[in-house]
Amino acid sequence: MTSRIKAVIPAAGLGTRFLPATKAMPKEMLPVVDKPAIQYVVEEAVGAGIDDILVILGRNKNNISNHFDAVPELETNLTNKGDLHRLLRVKESSDLADIHYVRQGEPRGLGHAVLRARAHVGDSTFAVLLGDDLIDERDALLTTMIAANERTGLTVIALMEVDPDHIHMYGAAAVEATDDPDIVRVTGLVEKPPKEDAPSNYAVIGRYVLNANVFDILDRTQPGKGGEIQLTDALQELALTEGVLGVVFRGRRYDTGDRLDYIKAIVQLAADREDLGPDLRPWLKEFAANL
Ligand code: UTP
């Protein structure tokens, strides 16, 4: 089913946690097994029925747009060699969806990046998927969030319970239960709080279904934590006024902008794959036994 909503993928951050790999390449292009992280995110949006995607680009913008473009000389080369399997894989990334691009001139924060989508999105509800945050395709999240928005008309964010020692790396939500164990009412949000100030261990993760009124709020949101325009601050205003819902995600998620999580993502996804898993799994067991 095709969704009426558009997706926005911010990919203009500096990726400092991954330097020097991200000096000349956005972290969203780091390969996870054999596809860049952002391709998984585009595929997730397409899987949720979205066929119009806007990517917010920073410096090194060509890397990302080139990846989703067709490369005729590569296709001819693979066709001539009769390598149809790889030809299909190469063509897949350029046939995925209608992908548009806009530039964020300066990395002034996630809120500022989302505001750059205003002209493309207009007055409609839209989804935001962070380009370095992978949700395992076997675990539903975005479709549940879109359904909750369609049912209630409210802005919906994704939450995940994390170890309290890690909450300072996320936006943290104060929540109230609803009749649905997977959905909470968000009563407050704070960006990257110290453990002792966190309202809960519910962390905001990189999926949002936002109503277009968030643009007016972002437009007047002042720089917050880290001197950046924070999406969390705009969502806090929405939580205090019209209300925000949180979908609690209990599935597999990988933050590929974090080096340790990136390594775990590759190992876990490769171990589960039919082409690599049968060789990798016994090797991993032996490796782990000798640690
Ligand atoms: P992060 O918080 O991971 O920041 O951004 P970062 O700057 O990219 O990475 P580090 O912390 O320096 O390693 C969350 C998401 O928001 C995007 C990033 O690309 C990422 O998808 N983002 C962040 C922007 O698009 N623009 C910004 O100004 C900031």
Side-chain angles (χ1 to χ4, degrees):
M1 195 186 71
T2 306
S3 173
R4 62 187 166 81
I5 73 172
K6 295 178 179 174
V8 174
I9 304 182
L14 288 178
T16 43
R17 282 170 295 164
F18 236 116
L19 282 169
T22 46
K23 230 177 122 183
M25 179 176 73
K27 62 178 169 181
E28 288 79 5
M29 283 301 294
L30 290 169
V32 178
V33 188
D34 51 8
K35 288 189 289 192
I38 193 169
Q39 186 174 333
Y40 289 86
V41 177
V42 169
E43 286 170 354
E44 180 190 337
V46 172
I50 299 175
D51 59 8
D52 183 309
I53 294 170
L54 177 73
V55 181
I56 316 289
L57 300 173
R59 52 193 194 99
N60 309 318
K61 60 183 167 123
N62 294 339
N63 276 306
I64 293 180
S65 49
N66 286 349
H67 178 73
F68 292 109
D69 272 351
V71 187
E73 60 271 32
L74 188 57
E75 290 178 15
T76 309
N77 180 291
L78 292 169
T79 309
N80 291 345
K81 281 188 190 149
D83 192 344
L84 297 183
H85 174 68
R86 288 205 176 84
L87 178 67
L88 207 71
R89 299 274 290 157
V90 162
K91 282 170 81 108
E92 244 169 32
S93 57
S94 43
D95 293 341
L96 273 172
D98 193 5
I99 305 185
H100 307 264
Y101 303 94
V102 67
R103 195 82 194 270
Q104 183 190 17
E106 252 185 287
R108 293 176 55 200
L110 177 58
H112 181 256
V114 171
L115 189 54
R116 299 288 299 129
R118 187 173 207 163
H120 186 79
V121 165
D123 290 333
S124 313
T125 296
F126 63 106
V128 172
L129 297 86
L130 299 192
D132 59 347
D133 209 341
L134 303 197
I135 299 295
D136 198 300
E137 65 177 353
R138 295 163 289 189
D139 302 320
L141 174 59
L142 191 56
T143 44
T144 313
M145 296 173 72
I146 294 171
N149 169 269
E150 283 172 351
R151 212 168 44 242
T152 63
L154 292 175
T155 282
V156 183
I157 64 175
L159 300 173
M160 196 164 182
E161 283 193 80
V162 299
D163 184 325
D165 285 335
H166 295 161
I167 196 74
H168 67 278
M169 299 189 290
Y170 297 88
V175 301
E176 279 172 4
T178 68
D179 295 341
D180 184 335
D182 293 328
I183 296 189
V184 291
R185 213 164 64 77
V186 176
T187 56
L189 284 161
V190 41
E191 182 64 21
K192 299 192 173 80
K195 181 181 171 183
E196 49 287 2
D197 296 342
S200 74
N201 61 336
Y202 280 104
V204 179
I205 58 170
R207 298 292 179 272
Y208 309 80
V209 177
L210 302 174
N211 292 327
N213 61 352
V214 76
F215 291 129
D216 284 335
I217 302 174
L218 283 172
D219 208 19
R220 55 181 153 76
T221 299
Q222 296 300 311
K225 195 106 190 177
E228 297 192 338
I229 297 174
Q230 298 288 356
L231 181 59
T232 305
D233 293 343
L235 292 172
Q236 157 75 350
E237 188 175 325
L238 276 176
L240 296 178
T241 51
E242 62 182 43
V244 169
L245 293 179
V247 167
V248 180
F249 182 63
R250 299 188 177 87
R252 288 155 284 192
R253 168 203 176 241
Y254 316 99
D255 173 7
T256 63
D258 173 79
R259 290 171 305 169
L260 184 59
D261 241 24
Y262 173 76
I263 294 165
K264 289 180 186 170
I266 293 177
V267 172
Q268 191 155 339
L269 292 173
D272 289 345
R273 269 184 41 169
E274 272 174 27
D275 55 346
L276 299 167
D279 285 338
L280 179 62
R281 284 193 299 267
W283 179 84
L284 270 176
K285 277 193 191 133
E286 199 186 317
F287 180 73
N290 291 319
L291 281 180

